[in-house]
Amino acid sequence: MKPTRYAFLLIGLALAVLTLPALQPLFRYGLTASFDGRTHLLRLAALARAVADGISLPRWLPDMQLGYGYPVFNFYPPGAYYLALLPSFFGVTLYWAYALGFVLAILWAGVGAAILAHDLLKSHTSQYPPSTLLGAALVAGVAYMYAPYLLVNVYIRGSLPEAMAQALLPWILWGSRRVLTQPRPTGYVLFTAAFLSSLALTHSLT
């Protein structure tokens, strides 16, 4: 394993530890009585029922709107719900599967911000030793994990799709920068296209 990759592995582990205070209310009390959380949980449950009935890409959810049905996925991307659905296939309840989605979003956001910050600092402050750049990247990752709006989406709004979208943004910026700066950007073009597609499937307004 290259030294840089080993260092980023350590940063990832450090971020996993440093995110614990941000996740402590979630682990201790569960999901909060947020503004939108119940709506998203209802959509997740309706999607789970559709998938269990063999409809893997439902457009119409008959359980919505007091049983009258609603075509929610005609206009609201379902990507975050599919991601939250995965743990339920292994016996996790939908409630905790949705909560685990927030854990993944916060950690993924921090790792992405750290990698983006390291890439930016490395190109503009080459006189600093690698340890300093990695330390600064770690600080950037922690700062993004504790960004007020990200935590508002977790605890106040209860919006997993928007939290997931925020987690994707540093990765999209990193990939886009690599497309513009690397002599052979083909791999980064595919990477960036994949993450932009993921953003479109997660939160269209973002």
Side-chain angles (χ1 to χ4, degrees):
M1 182 179 291
K2 294 181 179 180
T4 302
R5 292 181 181 178
Y6 181 73
F8 275 116
L9 177 61
L10 291 178
I11 285 181
L13 293 174
L15 288 172
V17 173
L18 293 171
T19 194
L20 291 177
L23 298 173
Q24 188 268 345
L26 196 63
F27 291 144
R28 184 172 183 181
Y29 303 109
L31 297 173
T32 59
S34 55
F35 294 151
D36 303 329
R38 286 175 292 184
T39 299
H40 292 295
L41 272 175
L42 178 58
R43 292 175 181 175
L44 177 61
L47 175 63
R49 179 172 178 176
V51 171
D53 290 340
I55 307 172
S56 57
L57 295 171
R59 296 173 61 189
W60 182 267
L61 297 178
D63 297 318
M64 303 293 292
Q65 298 298 97
L66 301 177
Y68 288 101
Y70 197 58
V72 62
F73 293 141
N74 275 0
F75 59 87
Y76 200 96
Y81 303 116
Y82 278 104
L83 188 62
L85 197 60
L86 290 178
S88 70
F89 297 146
F90 300 94
V92 179
T93 65
L94 291 177
Y95 177 95
W96 284 110
Y98 193 75
L100 286 174
F102 284 123
V103 175
L104 178 62
I106 293 176
L107 186 57
W108 192 242
V111 173
I115 290 176
L116 174 62
H118 183 270
D119 207 39
L120 289 169
L121 292 169
K122 186 178 179 181
S123 62
H124 295 293
T125 55
S126 56
Q127 70 271 23
Y128 292 107
S131 59
T132 300
L133 298 180
L134 290 170
L138 178 61
V139 170
V142 173
Y144 194 54
M145 288 194 306
Y146 285 85
Y149 192 65
L150 180 58
L151 296 183
V152 162
N153 274 324
V154 175
Y155 292 112
I156 306 299
R157 297 187 60 236
S159 177
L160 179 60
E162 195 161 350
M164 286 288 184
Q166 283 183 267
L168 289 170
L169 291 179
W171 297 93
I172 293 170
L173 292 172
W174 178 80
S176 299
R177 185 178 183 279
R178 284 297 180 108
V179 169
L180 295 173
T181 59
Q182 296 300 303
R184 295 184 178 180
T186 304
Y188 298 108
V189 170
L190 297 175
F191 175 94
T192 306
F195 274 80
L196 279 171
S197 300
S198 299
L199 182 64
L201 292 172
T202 300
H203 194 253
S204 54
L205 289 178
T206 302

